[in-house]
Amino acid sequence: MIELILFGILAATYLLVIVKRMPALIQGFRYQSFFIFLITLIAGLTENQPGLLIVALLILALKVFIIPFVLNSIAKKISVDENLGLLINAQLSLVVALLLTYFSWVFSGMLGFNNGHISIAITVAFSVIFIGGFLMISRMKAFTQVLGLLIMENGIFLFASFLSGGMPFFVEIAIFLDVFVSVIIMGLFVYRINKLFTHIDVNKLSRLRG
């Protein structure tokens, strides 16, 4: 069961690198977050940890519903062009994502994770982190880079959960609140950029230097 959910997280991550439209990218983040909700919920139930159950509900509320809703609302408000502005096309991006997954598998083995679903989970976690970083540098829209950061945070959460059996409850709550506030701040920042320069293409913004 855990392996199937981990496969779902990885499949949703691959979906994120091949989509070409902003609504599809936000939806892909929602799918990825839903699978992380499932894996956290199962961990909370099997380990009888009420703290993990609360964290699972927070993931469901914040990352599956509230954050995608906020991002969609901001995108509509500032009339974001649905085209993501790909520096690397979807096909090549998928190849890069597969290579990053292979690198993650090798790296997890170097760290001593060689057996069972822990090895798979750590490989998936590193893949999500690396692919999130790849999205941040391979897409020209500032809005996409905000999502790349959120995707990386999903990977960090997954890694910490399997590495330590779940982070301390209050640390998890603090991280969720920090992420949520960061989304609001970054959304306002993107809105301000769009208002001043009429676009959020970072490639065009870089020409303003010097």
Side-chain angles (χ1 to χ4, degrees), residues 49-125:
Q49 292 190 28
L52 282 178
L53 295 177
I54 295 174
V55 169
L57 292 176
L58 282 172
I59 293 173
L60 183 66
L62 286 176
K63 293 189 175 183
V64 179
F65 292 109
I66 297 176
I67 289 178
F69 175 78
V70 169
L71 292 174
N72 275 314
S73 297
I74 294 173
K76 291 177 181 177
K77 187 174 182 179
I78 65 177
S79 300
V80 173
D81 183 4
E82 288 191 355
N83 193 323
L84 296 179
L86 307 182
L87 287 175
I88 302 176
N89 65 41
Q91 293 79 7
L92 186 56
S93 293
L94 181 58
V95 172
V96 172
L98 291 170
L99 289 174
L100 288 173
T101 299
Y102 174 73
F103 174 76
S104 299
W105 175 70
V106 173
F107 187 54
S108 65
M110 291 171 61
L111 293 177
F113 301 103
N114 297 310
N115 299 310
H117 70 271
I118 297 294
S119 174
I120 299 172
I122 298 301
T123 298
V124 172

Side-chain angles (χ1 to χ4, degrees), residues 125-146:
F126 278 130
S127 296
V128 173
I129 293 170
F130 294 146
I131 292 171
F134 169 69
L135 284 173
M136 291 184 69
I137 64 175
S138 65
R139 304 297 186 262
M140 291 186 290
K141 302 294 184 182
F143 212 85
T144 311
Q145 295 174 353
V146 172

